[in-house]
Amino acid sequence: MIAEGLEKKPLNHIASKIAETGFNCVRFTWATFMFTRPDYYNLKVSDSLDKYNLTAAKTGIAKNNPGILSMRILELHKAVVDELGRNNLMVVLDNHVSRPDWCCGDDDGNGFFGDANFDPTEWLQGLTAVARAYKGNSAVVGMSMRNELRGKRQNETEWYKYMQEGATTIHKESPDFLVIISGLSYDTNLGFLRTKPLPLNLNNKLVYEAHWYTFGISADRWTAQTNNLCAVVTKMARDNYLFLTTGDNPFPLFLSEFGIDQRGVNEAENRYITCLLAEVAEKDIDWALWTFQGSYMLRQGTVNLEEYFGVMDVNWDGPRNPDLKSNHPTYYIIFHPQSGQCLQIGKANNVFLANCKTATRWDQHQDGGPIKLAGSPRCLTVAGDGGAACVSNDCSGNGSKWKFVSSSGLQLGAQNGQGKYLCLEKNNSNSTVIVSKKCLCVGDNLDDLATCAENPLVQWFKLVPVNV
């Protein structure tokens, strides 16, 4: 119930650091009981810390935020929201759980309507209380009705019933708020909306949210079947929630959780996040990275637990990973999701990776056709195996006809003079040069190999439509 990091740094420092890091919005959690039960909302911060013998955290807050210890839980929650607003940060208020606890598990009592700690009537009371408490607060742009619905009790019938009741409750109390609706199975499934839309409009204030992690997928699959697995999980995301942004009646989509170990030490997670970035780069979605906090005062019985998924380091001094970087298309850039950089053409017509803000512009590409420079007759051309890719005036030869050669849809290949397909590849970890080399993890027929010990991420490229 107490925002993390207050024992490490002053509140205004944390808020300014969020903005300084490049974020413009905070998904700030709250528990239902904080707003519905007096023994929670009347609790003082100091008493809450004493309840769990968090002596070091209490000492740290006294040093960094001396006025906070005497606040009640709800006073602190509002103080955090207000400070975020003073730093020009938007706030989405996320009903994360009912009973304050670490989330989530199938049988934690917080998963679905009717669970031990999830009474629908009390939940609606909480939504009303929060919408009323923050009505007119310029920092708050929306409310997320519930995080990660889950468990054995989950079903579509009650989902439709209570999502409509919750959305109407928020909109009635605070009609300016965006109302953010989550799906089933830990926010991974909204696919049922394809055949049965939610009969709500709310004056265009309705937003859907989803979570995309790699939990439950073995690391071996990511390292042995990278292309195929990326294709599989991308299709799942498209089928279950990304489809909402397209079609005759699209809705805004908020990818409200995704993330990896920010140290970069988990190869499977690195491949997953690269696959995710390649897919969402061209999607008009909003997103929230899990997570900003570098540590927890108390999590699942452990004091001062380090959060390796956190942007900040354990002492909240700076980013855990200094390399973390955070529409009507008129042209395209070629994005290399592994590096986060984009193709640029040099003075000698060579091709290299650089900051996407200065990326070379390209015309729209048809699979099997040339990739032309925007406003120019020149196009991207393959070289010999290991040779540097370039741009040339020959846009009719096979060396300039690029096609996607794996199921991931991310490896661009063209034929050399011997009719063999070569793929664009970042030359090595210490170079930004783009070369053309044998396509990784695909056979001569361009089908995915059943298993592959090589890492194809160096050959993943995506043409992304942009207009800035």
Side-chain angles (χ1 to χ4, degrees):
M1 297 188 292
I2 300 173
E4 303 294 349
L6 298 175
E7 82 284 20
K8 303 284 181 76
K9 300 293 179 184
L11 173 56
N12 61 357
H13 173 87
I14 295 173
S16 63
K17 183 63 70 173
I18 294 171
E20 177 186 313
T21 309
F23 297 100
N24 67 356
C25 184
V26 173
R27 179 174 174 255
F28 190 42
T29 61
W30 59 278
T32 300
F33 292 1
M34 289 169 56
F35 287 83
T36 59
R37 301 192 178 189
D39 50 336
Y40 286 88
Y41 61 69
N42 283 329
L43 192 66
K44 287 188 177 181
V45 172
S46 59
D47 294 335
S48 181
L49 296 169
D50 289 341
K51 182 178 179 180
Y52 295 98
N53 297 314
L54 297 175
T55 306
K58 188 174 181 179
T59 301
I61 291 178
K63 173 186 176 183
N64 290 293
N65 297 282
I68 282 178
L69 288 176
S70 61
M71 288 183 178
R72 300 188 188 278
I73 290 294
L74 292 193
E75 292 173 332
L76 173 56
H77 196 270
K78 186 176 185 302
V80 172
V81 171
D82 290 344
E83 187 60 40
L84 294 172
R86 279 190 284 272
N87 283 269
N88 296 316
L89 292 162
M90 296 177 282
V91 178
V92 169
L93 298 171
D94 169 57
N95 179 225
H96 214 67
V97 289
S98 294
R99 176 176 54 82
D101 204 349
W102 175 252
C103 183
C104 299
D106 282 347
D107 56 358
D108 61 6
N110 273 312
F112 198 72
F113 306 105
D115 282 359
N117 296 303
F118 197 169
D119 175 66
T121 301
E122 186 173 16
W123 171 70
L124 291 170
Q125 291 171 350
L127 294 179
T128 299
V130 172
R132 184 174 297 161
Y134 288 102
K135 183 176 182 178
N137 189 307
S138 59
V140 179
V141 296
M143 286 177 60
S144 177
M145 287 201 290
R146 188 68 173 200
N147 174 68
E148 296 196 346
L149 294 166
R150 61 196 178 275
K152 296 178 181 178
R153 293 182 51 85
Q154 66 176 340
N155 63 86
E156 293 177 17
T157 300
E158 289 187 289
W159 183 90
Y160 279 98
K161 170 180 168 60
Y162 290 119
M163 288 296 103
Q164 290 181 72
E165 290 185 14
T168 303
T169 296
I170 294 172
H171 187 66
K172 180 179 178 181
E173 193 65 46
S174 292
D176 289 336
F177 284 0
L178 296 173
V179 179
I180 304 170
I181 295 180
S182 61
L184 299 174
S185 301
Y186 293 85
D187 275 4
T188 64
N189 181 17
L190 285 162
F192 43 85
L193 291 171
R194 284 181 179 273
T195 55
K196 185 181 178 182
L198 196 63
L200 282 174
N201 181 280
L202 307 185
N203 294 323
N204 290 323
K205 295 295 194 296
L206 196 62
V207 178
Y208 288 101
E209 68 175 314
H211 293 177
W212 186 351
Y213 288 111
T214 190
F215 302 141
I217 300 176
S218 71
D220 289 345
R221 287 191 66 192
W222 273 114
T223 54
Q225 301 174 322
T226 308
N227 280 323
N228 179 258
L229 186 54
C230 181
V232 170
V233 299
T234 298
K235 184 179 185 303
M236 290 175 60
R238 291 172 180 171
D239 290 346
N240 284 310
Y241 43 85
L242 292 177
F243 74 91
L244 289 163
T245 64
T246 61
D248 295 332
N249 187 31
F251 283 92
L253 180 67
F254 181 30
L255 189 62
S256 56
E257 282 190 30
F258 67 99
I260 60 169
D261 186 326
Q262 291 289 334
R263 296 172 298 174
V265 297
N266 188 311
E267 181 59 26
E269 289 181 357
N270 294 343
R271 298 191 186 196
Y272 135 78
I273 200 71
T274 306
C275 174
L276 181 154
L277 291 173
E279 175 62 16
V280 302
E282 63 179 352
K283 299 289 191 297
D284 184 14
I285 63 170
D286 296 281
W287 51 269
L289 178 71
W290 184 273
T291 184
F292 192 79
Q293 63 265 20
S295 65
Y296 300 90
M297 298 180 205
L298 177 68
R299 172 176 156 182
Q300 295 173 292
T302 301
V303 174
N304 194 35
L305 180 70
E306 185 166 5
E307 173 57 274
Y308 294 116
F309 276 46
V311 171
M312 301 301 285
D313 61 32
V314 68
N315 293 316
W316 296 64
D317 289 327
R320 183 181 306 278
N321 180 352
D323 294 329
L324 176 72
K325 296 175 176 70
S326 15
N327 286 299
H328 171 67
T330 55
Y331 61 89
Y332 289 74
I333 59 176
I334 301 179
F335 175 52
H336 185 249
Q338 185 192 44
S339 66
Q341 296 180 306
C342 293
L343 258 62
Q344 189 165 322
I345 304 304
K347 294 181 179 179
N349 292 326
N350 57 311
V351 184
F352 60 96
L353 289 174
N355 191 304
C356 289
K357 291 182 178 179
T358 59
T360 296
R361 304 179 180 190
W362 307 86
D363 288 334
Q364 187 172 8
H365 167 249
Q366 298 294 326
D367 196 31
I371 301 177
K372 290 187 175 182
L373 286 168
S376 168
R378 295 183 298 161
C379 58
L380 189 62
T381 305
V382 76
D385 194 358
C390 64
V391 292
S392 74
N393 290 315
D394 179 12
C395 296
S396 59
N398 288 336
S400 298
K401 295 179 179 179
W402 296 89
K403 65 182 299 182
F404 295 105
V405 300
S406 71
S407 62
S408 67
L410 296 170
Q411 284 172 276
L412 279 166
Q415 291 176 296
N416 64 8
Q418 290 74 47
K420 297 290 186 181
Y421 273 91
L422 300 175
C423 285
L424 294 179
E425 179 175 315
K426 180 178 180 293
N427 193 20
N428 59 57
S429 59
N430 297 317
S431 173
T432 62
V433 174
I434 299 300
V435 296
S436 47
K437 298 186 75 172
K438 181 182 182 299
C439 300
L440 299 175
C441 299
V442 296
D444 291 337
N445 60 358
L446 305 185
D447 289 336
D448 292 336
L449 299 177
T451 61
C452 178
E454 297 172 304
N455 184 351
L457 303 190
V458 290
Q459 293 186 346
W460 281 8
F461 291 88
K462 180 97 173 189
L463 280 104
V464 180
V466 292
N467 67 349
V468 291

